[in-house]
């Protein structure tokens, strides 16, 4: 295999971690209605069945930095693949809500690990000049996983009536993840170890061998020399994060992570069929509309990939953020005026499209570039942890907000949408005032921004 093709294959194999991130977090959206009936859940139980997996994600993100440093990136990815596999089988066969939750949490640990290690691995095997685009590929893999599982769920739901779906459909949906998980596990043994990690372990010969396969012999020697030169083999400490520049970057990273979530993306991603049923659609129609969400999410990610280096990170965040606020505002208005119906679908899609071309990919790109080389793995795992924590908060509370009689009496279901819309306004302010433009800047120039 020539070097180009090898690099692409290795990158694609690693993006399977992103694909499973999307697949695992969104599989629940198609299963939750039947699951709710099967286990006779109330609103809190429903929120728990959906968001328990996210607790695993929260818990998996924090040690990801440590695991990947001590055991290597490859082992970290293989471990996450194994967790996905166990979770898919276990949750599909679960006999009780508690059993189900335990296996979903195991899968969540896999997502937490993969969500931090996969983009880092991609950045570490990629040549510098292509790193930005390759990180966006990771978001593309996430949304591909989401779109794929929406289709799979829809297809499975069509195989039987409501009764069959309640008893069996959701099990097939969760079990379907066995396939991509098995694939990811196999590929995680095939991919090479990250050359940067190998150098940090003192295995310079092995690193050169990997770099040669990725870049050809000449470039490989140059890159190796660079890695050796810039490598700070001290383990990053929490204290390093308290230096003013690092601290500022961390605050912005955590802010971006939190705002990406409190603007409600995963309330829509995980509960879309429920939302569409509240608009008046039947179960199959709701799942079909859900596949539209997945497709629009996928299509508009390409807009970001094409424009991010041209118009810059901030422009995308501002334009996309405004579209999200508009979409949420109108959906809320329709519900508030008790005038819901299919006409709200385009505004849900406007919201999704706006997110997909902005806050989805751009947050991952910024997270991967705003931190100093030395503290990156530590700072990244903290920022990713914050993202999962807020994801958990939103997914746990969304059904409660939707089903709350007191709120519904006043707002007729508009409240959560307006709440996320308001957070969207906060997000716009945050980007405008607090986020530096990083387009076309080297990582070293970035350090200067923070110092200023
Ligand atoms: C976010 C996920 C979200 C996905 C939706 C990602 O960037 O991190 O929480 O589910 O985008 O496309």
């Amino acid at each position: 295999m020539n070097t180009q093709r090898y690099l692409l294959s290795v990158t694609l194999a690693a993006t399977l971690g992103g694909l499973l991130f999307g697949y695992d977090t969104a599989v629940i959206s198609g299963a939750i209605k039947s699951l709710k009936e099967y286990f006779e859940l109330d609103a809190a139980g429903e929120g728990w069945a959906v968001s328990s997996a996210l607790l695993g994600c929260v818990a998996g993100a924090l040690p990801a930095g440590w695991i990947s440093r001590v055991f290597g990136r490859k082992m970290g990815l293989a471990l996450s693949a194994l967790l996905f596999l166990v979770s898919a089988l276990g949750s599909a066969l679960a006999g009780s809500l508690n059993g189900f939750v335990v296996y979903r949490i195991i899968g969540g640990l896999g997502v937490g690990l993969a969500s931090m290690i996969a983009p880092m691995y991609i950045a570490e095997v990629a040549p510098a000049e292509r790193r930005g685009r390759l990180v966006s590929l990771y978001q593309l893999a996430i949304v591909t996983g989401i779109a794929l599982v929406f289709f799979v769920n829809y297809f499975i739901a069509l195989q039987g009536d409501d009764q069959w779906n309640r008893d069996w459909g959701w099990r097939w949906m969760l079990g379907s993840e066995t396939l991509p998980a098995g694939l990811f596990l196999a590929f995680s043994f095939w991919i090479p170890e990250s050359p940067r990690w190998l150098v940090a372990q003192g295995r310079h010969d092995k690193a050169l061998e990997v770099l040669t396969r990725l870049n050809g012999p000449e470039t490989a020697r140059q890159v190796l020399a660079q890695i050796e030169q810039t490598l700070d083999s001290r383990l990053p400490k929490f204290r390093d994060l308290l230096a003013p520049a690092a601290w500022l970057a961390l605050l912005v990273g955590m802010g971006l992570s939190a705002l990406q979530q409190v603007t409600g993306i995963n309330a829509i991603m995980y509960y879309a069929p429920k939302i569409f049923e509240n608009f008046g659609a039947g179960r199959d129609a709701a799942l079909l509309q859900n596949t539209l969400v997945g497709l629009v999410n996928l299509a508009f990610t390409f807009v970001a990939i094409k424009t991010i280096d041209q118009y810059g990170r901030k422009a995308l965040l501002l334009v996309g953020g405004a579209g999200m606020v508009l979409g949420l505002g109108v959906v809320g208005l329709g519900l508030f005026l008790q005038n819901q119906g299919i006409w709200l679908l385009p505004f849900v899609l406007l919201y999704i499209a706006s997110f997909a071309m902005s806050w989805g990919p751009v947050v991952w790109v910024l997270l991967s570039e705003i931190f100093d080389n030395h503290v990156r793995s530590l700072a990244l795992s903290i920022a990713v942890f914050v993202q999962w924590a807020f994801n958990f908060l939103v997914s746990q509370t969304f059904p409660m907000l939707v089903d709350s009689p007191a709120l519904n009496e006043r707002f007729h279901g508009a409240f959560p949408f307006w709440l996320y819309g308001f957070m969207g306004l906060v997000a716009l302010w945050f980007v405008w005032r607090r986020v530096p433009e990083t387009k076309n800047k080297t990582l070293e120039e970035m350090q200067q921004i923070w110092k200023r």
Side-chain angles (χ1 to χ4, degrees), residues 5 50 111-112 122 140 146 196 228 295 301 342 349 368 425:
R5 215 173 284 162
V50 171
V111 178
I122 295 170
L140 190 66
I146 295 176
R196 272 145 224 279
E228 284 167 342
L295 281 181
T301 305
I342 189 80
L349 297 180
S368 78
L425 293 176

Side-chain angles (χ1 to χ4, degrees), residues 260-270 297 324 351-352 355-356 394 420:
Q260 188 203 46
Q261 296 300 320
V262 294
T263 41
I265 185 61
N266 289 314
I268 314 275
M269 282 296 148
Y270 307 161
N297 195 13
M324 288 161 68
Y351 167 79
I352 297 295
F355 175 88
V394 171
Y420 305 145

Side-chain angles (χ1 to χ4, degrees), residues 144-167:
T144 304
I146 295 176
L148 186 67
V149 77
F150 284 171
F151 268 109
V152 170
N153 282 348
Y154 175 58
F155 178 77
I156 290 174
L158 288 183
Q159 303 310 307
D161 56 10
D162 277 5
Q163 172 81 34
W164 180 85
N165 270 292
R166 201 196 61 202
D167 294 338

Side-chain angles (χ1 to χ4, degrees), residues 21 25 139 142-143 146 260-261 265-266 269-270 297 355 359-361 364 387-388 391:
F21 165 172
T25 51
Q139 169 75 8
I142 298 177
V143 300
I146 295 176
Q260 188 203 46
Q261 296 300 320
I265 185 61
N266 289 314
M269 282 296 148
Y270 307 161
N297 195 13
F355 175 88
W359 283 80
W364 288 108
Q387 194 179 119
W388 286 114
N391 188 335

Side-chain angles (χ1 to χ4, degrees), residues 23 27 88-89 91-92 169-180:
Y23 202 100
V27 66
L89 290 173
S91 58
W170 63 270
R171 294 186 186 277
W172 281 102
M173 292 177 187
L174 287 147
S176 70
E177 193 177 325
T178 320
L179 226 69

